[in-house]
Each structure stands twice: as C-alpha cells, then as structure tokens.
Amino acid sequence: MVGRLWQVQVVDGERYARAATADHERHVVVPAVRGRIVDSRGRPLVRNRTATTVSIDRTILTRLPDGGREVLDRLARLLGMEREEIERRIRPCDGPARKDCWAGSPYEPIPVKDAVDERIAFQITERPDRYPGVVADLRPVRDYPNGELAAHVLGYVAPDDRSPTSRSPVGRDGLEAVYDSDLRGVPGERRLVVDSAGRVVRVLSERPATPGATLVTSIDSRIQKATERALKRAVERARKRGLPADQAAAVVMESRTGRITALAALPTYDPTVWVGGISPKDYARLTDPKQGSPLLSRAVAGQWAPASTWKVTSVAAAVSAGRPVNGVYGCPGSYRVGDRPFRNFGGIGYGMITLRRALEVSCDTIFYRFAHEMWLETARKKNGVHPMVRTARAFGFGRPTGVDLPGEAAGYLPKGDWDLPGYAANFSIGQGEVLVTPLQLARAYAAIANGGTLYSPRIGKKVVAADGTTVRRIKPPVAGRLPVDRRTLQVIRQGLADVTRSGTAAGAFAGYPLDKHPISGKTGTAEVVGKRDTSWFASFDKKYTVVVMVAQGGTGGETAAPAAREIWSAIHGVKDEVKKTR
C-alpha cells in the first residue's frame, strides 16, 4: 500500500495532476462584435448598440435548495414571461442545437431576455439576495437607425441554431445572410479550470474575439428614402382611385456598373422587430399572406407579367429574324390570329409606322403580326424555338440575375414551341406565358442604356476590416451581352426617349426638365385574370436605370410612371410636384 501510494504521489504525481486539470478544463466561446453595414457614403444602415440583457448563471441556480425554482418564479413575473419558458432556455441541449434549449457553455451566463427596460435591470442588480445567479448586463445588439429603410436589403440576424457552441447571431436574410462570414468576425476563447462543483477556479488562457468587418454598400440612403417615399405615395394615390394596389417594388441601378443604388418593396416592415428575439405573433404577421407577407421582397422575389415594357425584346427579336430596323409596318386597331382578333389598347390604330414609333405609342398589333409570322416559320421546323423566346433568354430573363441577396426568383419563360399561335402573340407584348421580377427588368433596361452589357447586380461594394484596411472589393460580374447590334439599340433608345416626351408617359412627365435631364422609358399595363392591372414603368438616363411596379395599380402611365418621376426628381435634384394624370 505504501509502495503504491509512493508511486501515485511521486512517480506518477505530475501525470495525474495534468489529468485532473484536463478533466476540469472547460472552453468558453467569447462572441465577436458584429460588423456594421453602411451606405455608399459611409452612413450607417445597420450598427450595434448596447442593450441590457438578463442572463442566468445556471451553476449558481442549481445549487440553491429548491434548484432555483423560487428565483425563476420571481424572475418570470418581473420579465413578463412564463417560468417554463425560462427553464427551457437555460436547459442544456442533449443533442443538436435547438431554440428551446441552451447549446452554449454551461459555465457562462445564459441569456433569457434581451433589450430589457432599465427599471427592471435595476431591480435585479439592487436585490442580489432575491435574484441569486441572475445577471443584468449590457451587450451589443443590432440597431437600425433608419427604421424601415431598406429592410428587405439589410435582412436580419437570429441565434445560430446550427452550432452547438456559438453565441454569435447569424444573418438570416438580406445582406446580413450573404455577407455573414465577413460581418460576424471571429469568436474568442476562454479556457477555464472548474472544481467538482462547477465553480471556476482560474483562467488558464484567453484569446480575444476579432470584431466583424464593415460592409460598404452601393445603396445611397438619400435615393433609397426617395424611392420608398415614391412607392408609398403611388400606392396611396392608386387606392384613392379605388384600386387595391396591394404590392409594389422599385429598383434603381447604375447602368454602367451593375451596382444597385436603391431597392424597395411594399409591404415592408421594421427590422427592429428581430432585436431581442421575435415573438411568435410578430413572425406570424410577417409571413401571413393575408397581411401581404411583409418579409418577402417583391423587388427580387415577386414575379409579374411585364406587359409592354417587354416590347424592347420583341423589337430585338424581330430585327434579328430579318425585319428591317428602319422599316415601316402597319399598326391597325386589331390583328387576326387564326379566328381570334387581337386588339390594340382601346382598339386604336396608328397606320404605317416605324419600330421607333411603335415603342412611343406602344402599338400591340405590330408585335402580334411579328409573333404570328415567326410562329409560322418556326412551325415548319421540328423542335424549333420561337425567336422571341430565344431573344428573351439572351436578355437574361427566365433565370436569376445572381444578385447578392437570397431568395431571388427566376421568373418564367416558356419553351417556345407553342402549338397555337395565340400564345406567341400574347408573349410578344409581355402577356401570357411570361413572368419577370422588377430586378430582372431593371438589369435588361440597364443593358439597353449601357450599350448591351448584362451585369449580375451587386449591392456589396467592399469589405473593410475593423482597423480600416480594405479586405476586398466587390465588382459586379458581367453575365452576358444583348444579342442586339448598335443600330437596333439606337432605334430602341430613340423610341424610349419619345415615350416620355410625346408617348404613353408624356402626361406623367409633363413639365419635367427633360431638355436638361433626358429620361427614356416604357410604360406597361399587364392584365391579370381576376385582378386589376399591374402598373409598370422602366426607364433610364445616362447614369441610372429606374424600374417601378405597382400590382393592381392600374395603367403604367397613371401609377408607376409618376412614381418613377418622383425618384428621378430626387436623383437629379429637381424640385418637382408630380402632376395628376387621368
């Protein structure tokens, strides 16, 4: 016995001491402060602020005679929570991380409620005898200084239920999700030695956390505010005319770079609802279709028929199929396809006109005829694809743009091997089997403006480390080229320039200084079965492209075009009042 004791204490003493220490060594993750998101001029869009968080030290609580039940009852009443809810939050997870248990280290205080009122925090800190093991301290939380501004762009953060140890929130939507690895930083680590009762004896080592980087975006807060204001006013004006106007979206893009300057959608929401943890009631409201599903960004995920804004692709398809770009074509009040007449808007005919004039007055029958003739030509070929569908694909439709936002919709294009020519006729004017997102349409019009380059749009501009050094710059990649020659592009641009001066958007732009700030555009009024018309206006100048859509908002000229005018007024710095249109 003496010999064995001598061996354990002297010969193997150091080894057993190391083993004892290792058995009681615990690792605690130190969360990093999340990086900011700023606009193109450095103005904060998302930042951090300190808020009082109530946490529970479970090791202290469990050593109380009743296991802490009385303290939890008292705390639950103070916080306006159920005791069972607090117990679930501090219970260690026995498997994969879940929302109803604690997946972090048991040797650190477990947060049970964020953004607590100072009065409540004071009661906890002043009465430690009544709240043993309960801590009220300041921790960083996300702050949105502009409220609802760019909510769908920014996204939100939530606890990481995929990591068993991380306390750092992760991005769940918007830029917060796409650039999460840059924003979240690198967690630190604290190595502790605890005794058999779980009390911390000493700190072995500590590695501080590295703060997250700042994401600089191409969003201009001034233009973003003007865009959101214009959308809300457009919806209000439409509703005063008895229209539902239940959804809306707008995109402002730099035509020559593919960078997004503003992106807005309605309905929207205030992202501060996520701070401190969202309630089930609020989450149900944000995702309820009956309330408009405010969490969904209509600018990138909403899909509608583009109506006459689509005619730019039909002009390009007609020319590529052999129609002279400077030719003169008939625009009767109606055109018969088979035994069915397809009419112009209002049944108005414009006689013999050019393609430029067809865009200006938004003639439908020219494009019905083109589509029908191409269908006849395609029908002679087995497995042929209609030229208008082929051209639309080359314009980037029918697939996501690749924007740096999650949840982007692809839109819809048909195969183009229709059995009936009526489908082709409808397709030629942006009706029937075609759906686009506002962002897809903005990208296509930006390509028309810049000479034919299709970009994969970007909102992120650069990532800047906490010490001010640039980690990397973000450049919108080129996604393709329009299948349109220079002369055809010129004719399209001329026709779109005529739209705001003397065409279908002339009323909306009456009195605007177009000589100083020329704007080209195209109205669109999409018919929807069982609903009111979708209002569109797509436009551009030398620098920007602006697209506005209002679902169930009436004609493009009466709702979307005036809203676009408001946005252009903000961009150009024009003091302007939108004129009332019929």
Side-chain angles (χ1 to χ4, degrees):
M1 177 69 71
V2 172
R4 178 59 178 161
L5 185 63
W6 177 83
Q7 182 180 5
V8 170
Q9 292 181 329
V10 179
V11 178
D12 297 327
E14 185 178 350
R15 179 167 62 87
Y16 281 116
R18 287 197 304 269
T21 300
D23 288 343
H24 292 86
E25 184 179 319
R26 298 293 183 266
H27 295 258
V28 176
V29 176
V30 180
V33 175
R34 195 169 178 86
R36 300 183 305 151
I37 303 176
V38 301
D39 79 348
S40 58
R41 298 177 182 269
R43 293 169 291 203
L45 297 172
V46 186
R47 60 190 178 189
N48 298 301
R49 64 177 174 85
T50 55
T52 303
T53 299
V54 173
S55 307
I56 293 177
D57 190 330
R58 195 170 181 276
T59 58
I60 295 177
L61 203 67
T62 54
R63 290 200 299 269
L64 297 176
D66 62 350
R69 185 183 181 89
E70 183 180 348
V71 173
L72 291 183
D73 281 332
R74 193 177 297 130
L75 182 64
R77 289 193 296 271
L78 183 64
L79 298 179
M81 302 172 65
E82 297 292 332
R83 174 174 55 81
E84 291 78 11
E85 181 182 357
I86 298 178
E87 289 177 335
R88 286 195 299 268
R89 294 194 178 194
I90 66 174
R91 184 179 68 244
C93 294
D94 55 3
R98 302 189 309 275
K99 293 182 179 180
D100 61 346
C101 61
W102 173 244
S105 171
Y107 301 101
E108 61 177 311
I110 303 170
V112 294
K113 190 166 186 178
D114 294 325
V116 174
D117 186 85
E118 291 183 4
R119 177 183 56 83
I120 294 175
F122 182 77
Q123 293 185 52
I124 294 173
T125 55
E126 289 298 305
R127 298 295 304 273
D129 57 317
R130 290 179 59 81
Y131 299 100
V134 182
V135 181
D137 58 1
L138 294 175
R139 296 190 182 187
V141 296
R142 280 319 230 182
D143 179 49
Y144 304 88
N146 303 298
E148 293 183 354
L149 188 75
H152 293 115
V153 174
L154 302 174
Y156 59 91
V157 298
D160 186 1
D161 55 8
R162 295 165 297 183
S163 171
T165 58
S166 175
R167 278 178 46 202
S168 301
V170 296
R172 293 298 195 196
D173 197 11
L175 297 176
E176 292 274 26
V178 173
Y179 294 97
D180 181 67
S181 60
D182 297 300
L183 293 166
R184 70 190 305 181
V186 180
E189 183 185 62
R190 188 180 297 120
R191 294 172 58 226
L192 308 174
V193 174
V194 299
D195 61 18
S196 57
R199 292 183 292 263
V200 177
V201 177
R202 67 180 184 274
V203 178
L204 290 177
S205 64
E206 187 169 5
R207 175 173 55 81
T210 302
T214 293
L215 176 65
V216 180
T217 72
S218 56
I219 296 294
D220 186 316
S221 294
R222 182 183 65 83
I223 298 177
Q224 179 72 31
K225 289 176 182 177
T227 300
E228 295 188 12
R229 183 171 60 247
L231 270 191
K232 290 177 182 178
R233 292 179 60 176
V235 166
E236 291 170 359
R237 288 194 297 267
R239 289 176 177 174
K240 287 180 180 179
R241 299 197 305 272
L243 296 164
D246 53 354
Q247 302 174 62
V251 180
V252 181
M253 181 186 297
E254 292 180 0
S255 302
R256 287 182 168 81
T257 68
R259 298 190 186 281
I260 294 177
T261 304
L263 189 144
L266 292 175
T268 188
Y269 70 99
D270 188 339
T272 56
V273 72
W274 296 95
V275 177
I278 191 169
S279 69
K281 181 180 179 180
D282 283 333
Y283 185 77
R285 174 179 58 83
L286 293 182
T287 56
D288 186 0
K290 294 181 179 179
Q291 299 191 48
S293 301
L295 206 58
L296 178 69
S297 173
R298 268 67 185 183
V300 299
Q303 303 174 99
W304 294 269
S308 291
T309 62
W310 188 252
K311 289 173 181 173
V312 294
T313 69
S314 295
V315 168
V319 175
S320 66
R323 277 69 178 176
V325 69
N326 293 318
V328 177
Y329 307 93
C331 178
S334 67
Y335 177 82
R336 184 170 293 275
V337 178
D339 58 354
R340 177 186 170 188
F342 284 74
R343 294 181 174 84
N344 265 338
F345 185 78
I348 301 173
Y350 293 93
M352 300 299 292
I353 61 175
T354 62
L355 293 177
R356 172 177 174 174
R357 175 72 171 161
L359 291 173
E360 176 191 352
V361 300
S362 201
C363 173
D364 291 337
T365 50
I366 282 180
F367 299 105
Y368 292 148
R369 178 179 177 179
F370 288 160
H372 186 205
E373 292 173 347
M374 292 178 191
W375 180 84
L376 292 172
E377 295 165 5
T378 305
R380 300 189 193 105
K381 307 172 185 177
K382 293 183 179 180
N383 300 321
V385 177
H386 197 284
M388 287 188 174
V389 174
R390 191 163 53 244
T391 299
R393 290 174 184 166
F395 267 71
F397 296 108
R399 66 177 187 272
T401 67
V403 66
D404 51 348
L405 287 176
E408 184 185 12
Y412 175 76
L413 286 181
K415 294 181 179 179
D417 54 353
W418 296 293
D419 293 331
L420 299 174
Y423 289 108
N426 276 329
F427 182 84
S428 71
I429 63 163
Q431 293 278 177
E433 291 186 299
V434 56
L435 296 173
V436 304
T437 69
L439 181 60
Q440 286 176 323
L441 195 65
R443 177 173 75 158
Y445 270 74
I448 294 171
N450 69 32
T453 302
L454 281 170
Y455 286 101
S456 182
R458 289 292 180 270
I459 299 174
K461 199 171 184 179
K462 64 179 177 178
V463 177
V464 179
D467 62 4
T469 59
T470 298
V471 177
R472 73 178 189 280
R473 298 185 184 276
I474 303 164
K475 184 178 180 181
V478 174
R481 293 279 306 176
L482 298 184
V484 187
D485 60 46
R486 184 179 301 177
R487 177 57 185 151
T488 304
L489 272 180
Q490 182 182 10
V491 169
I492 291 174
R493 285 195 289 257
Q494 289 171 341
L496 299 179
D498 295 338
V499 168
T500 55
R501 294 179 179 275
S502 54
T504 55
F509 281 84
Y512 196 86
L514 294 172
D515 290 340
K516 184 178 181 181
H517 302 291
I519 298 169
S520 303
K522 186 73 191 76
T523 56
T525 306
E527 297 178 1
V528 184
V529 177
K531 294 185 177 182
R532 306 298 290 271
D533 294 342
T534 303
S535 179
W536 285 97
F537 188 69
S539 56
F540 56 82
D541 69 353
K542 291 183 178 180
K543 185 175 181 181
Y544 294 104
T545 293
V546 175
V547 167
V548 175
M549 183 285 307
V550 180
Q552 301 202 78
T555 68
E558 67 182 352
T559 302
R565 173 178 174 152
E566 287 191 53
I567 298 170
W568 282 115
S569 295
I571 291 173
H572 294 149
V574 174
K575 293 183 179 180
D576 186 41
E577 287 294 331
V578 175
K579 306 295 187 297
K580 293 183 179 180
T581 58
R582 294 180 183 179

